[in-house]
Amino acid sequence: MLRLGGFVIHKGRVPRARQEEIVGALRDVAAAAPFFSPLTPWGKPMRVRMTSAGRYGWFSDRRGYRYIDRHPAGLPWPPIPDPVLDEWRALVSAERLPDCCLVNFYGEGARMGLHRDADEADFSWPVLSISLGDPATFRIGGRERADPTTSVQLESGDVVVMGGEARLAYHGVDRIRFGRSPLLPEGGRINLTLRVVD
Ligand code: SIN
Ligand code: FE2
């Protein structure tokens, strides 16, 4: 376990067989709620493709960032897969389960700019992140955008808990090393973030 400015990084937390089980479950999630490219509030499509599972899904368009209770095509969000919830139960809480599992897919060249996860009602709950597939350079900052940053490599099976002083800290993904992991035969990286929304 590694601690970086309140970010708790569990390297190699999810065993390979479990990663495969999760990827299988995510194929069902994506069949029920297809990936889409949200627009930034500035009207540009994001490079990262997204979908969600749970009571809410995360969404963005010209009106801004928010949670919505249906997929933009009007479909209900599918339930969060159990092997994903197991990580939350083990590392966060067995009583209060997350309302949203945001599924981010990074294809070749995709990155995510520095941002904070601040669209939830209660910041006392951490955000839990699971990385699957190709390695990524994850950038970690502080509460202010101008705070100094460091970076850490996130690999398939790594889990990050962003709570306490890290809950509202800036973070982003500089780059992924496309095709390096054998987990997703077509290449790419999946990141799951579990959030308590309301
Ligand atoms: C996110 O901040 O929503 C994603 C983080 C990651 O891809 O590791
Ligand atoms: Fe985030």
Side-chain angles (χ1 to χ4, degrees), residues 124-136:
S124 66
W125 291 101
V127 171
L128 182 144
S129 137
I130 303 174
S131 291
L132 298 165
D134 292 337

Side-chain angles (χ1 to χ4, degrees), residues 9-14 19 129-138 152-160 177 180-181 183 189-191:
I9 301 162
H10 301 264
K11 294 296 285 180
R13 157 101 200 158
V14 184
Q19 296 175 35
S129 137
I130 303 174
S131 291
L132 298 165
D134 292 337
T137 305
F138 184 59
V152 63
Q153 286 295 118
L154 292 183
E155 284 146 321
S156 200
D158 292 353
V159 175
V160 183
R177 288 169 210 277
R180 288 290 186 92
S181 162
L183 185 70
R189 171 176 188 258
I190 295 172
N191 177 263

Side-chain angles (χ1 to χ4, degrees), residues 112 115-117 162 171 193 195:
M112 186 179 285
H115 67 278
R116 307 191 306 162
D117 293 355
M162 302 180 258
H171 58 275
T193 41
R195 299 116 184 271

